[in-house]
Amino acid sequence: MNRTLALAPGASARLAKLDGSVFCVQCTSPSFELYLLPQEMGVRLMGVCEHPITTAVRGSAADFTELASASDPAATLINGALEIDGDSAPLIELQQILGDLDVDWEAPLVDAFGDVPGHQLAAGLRGAFGWGQRAGESLRRQLSEFILEEARLSPPRLQLEDFYSDVQALGLDVERLESRITRLKQRLDRLRDSQQS
C-alpha cells in the first residue's frame, strides 16, 4: 500500500494532515481488528495499538466490501450498515485520499523493463484500468435503469425527491399547527383567568 501511495503525487502531503489520527477497523465476520496510522511517508498498519482511537469502524466483511465498491463511498460510509464511533471527518478524508490515488505506474515500469517496454506496459495498464472503469460505470448505469424502469423495484429519483419535499412540507405544517394550538391554549387560559377574577 505504501509503495502505491509513494507513486501517487500529492498523497504524502494529504496524509501528513492526518498524522496523529488512529483509525480502528473492526471486522465482525471474520473477526479481526486492524489499526491504521496515517503518516507523511504512508500508512502504518498495526494489530495492536495503545494510542487513543480517532475513529473506529465496525462491520462485517460484506459491509466493508460494499464500501470499497460504492460509487459514493462517503454516503455509503455514513448511511450504510457500518457502525462508526468517533470523528467521521478524518475517516472520510482518508477514504478520499485513497479513492483519489492517481498512480504513476510508468516510472517503476521504465526502471524495471527499460524505456520502450515500460512505456508500452504503462499504456496497456492505463487502457485496462480505463476499460474496467468504463465497464463498471456502464454496468452500474444499466443496473440502475433495470431497477428503476424494468423491474420497478424503486421509484424514480424525481418521485423520491417530490416525496421527501412533501414530507418536509408536512413537517413544517405540523410545527405551525402545534404553535397555533399552543397560542390558542394560552388565549383560552387567559380568558378563563379573566372570567374567574
Side-chain angles (χ1 to χ4, degrees):
M1 183 185 346
N2 287 330
R3 286 181 184 165
T4 304
L5 287 167
L7 296 173
S12 296
R14 291 176 70 188
L15 279 173
K17 294 177 185 174
L18 293 175
D19 195 357
S21 299
V22 177
F23 301 98
C24 178
V25 177
Q26 300 170 335
C27 188
T28 55
S29 66
S31 180
F32 72 88
E33 199 166 88
L34 179 69
Y35 298 88
L36 290 86
L37 288 80
Q39 302 166 339
E40 186 175 357
M41 301 308 293
V43 177
R44 187 172 168 203
L45 300 177
M46 301 172 66
V48 177
C49 182
E50 298 295 326
H51 301 295
I53 296 171
T54 308
T55 314
V57 184
R58 184 179 309 106
S60 67
D63 298 331
F64 285 105
T65 303
E66 180 184 352
L67 175 65
S69 62
S71 59
D72 187 357
T76 303
L77 185 63
I78 293 168
N79 301 321
L82 291 170
E83 298 174 27
I84 302 173
D85 293 325
D87 190 0
S88 62
L91 181 64
I92 291 172
E93 178 64 23
L94 177 64
Q95 185 280 321
Q96 287 175 346
I97 292 169
L98 297 177
D100 292 344
L101 285 180
D102 184 18
V103 178
D104 179 14
W105 294 105
E106 193 158 342
L109 291 173
V110 165
D111 290 344
F113 299 106
D115 288 342
V116 175
H119 177 69
Q120 289 176 341
L121 279 171
L125 284 174
R126 280 192 292 271
F129 285 132
W131 177 84
Q133 288 177 335
R134 288 190 301 276
E137 288 168 9
S138 174
L139 179 63
R140 195 176 302 116
R141 187 176 57 253
Q142 290 174 6
L143 184 60
S144 173
E145 288 173 4
F146 173 77
I147 288 172
L148 290 173
E149 296 174 14
E150 300 294 329
R152 304 250 186 238
L153 297 174
S154 175
R157 183 178 178 154
L158 289 176
Q159 281 184 347
L160 281 175
E161 288 174 0
D162 286 345
F163 174 74
Y164 290 137
S165 65
D166 289 347
V167 168
Q168 287 177 337
L170 180 62
L172 289 173
D173 290 345
V174 167
E175 287 177 12
R176 286 190 204 111
L177 184 60
E178 286 177 347
S179 176
R180 196 167 176 195
I181 289 172
T182 303
R183 284 196 309 270
L184 285 172
K185 282 183 180 178
Q186 290 172 349
R187 282 181 72 187
L188 276 174
D189 289 343
R190 282 196 299 267
L191 284 172
R192 283 185 194 146
D193 289 343
S194 64
Q195 286 178 352
Q196 289 175 356
S197 57

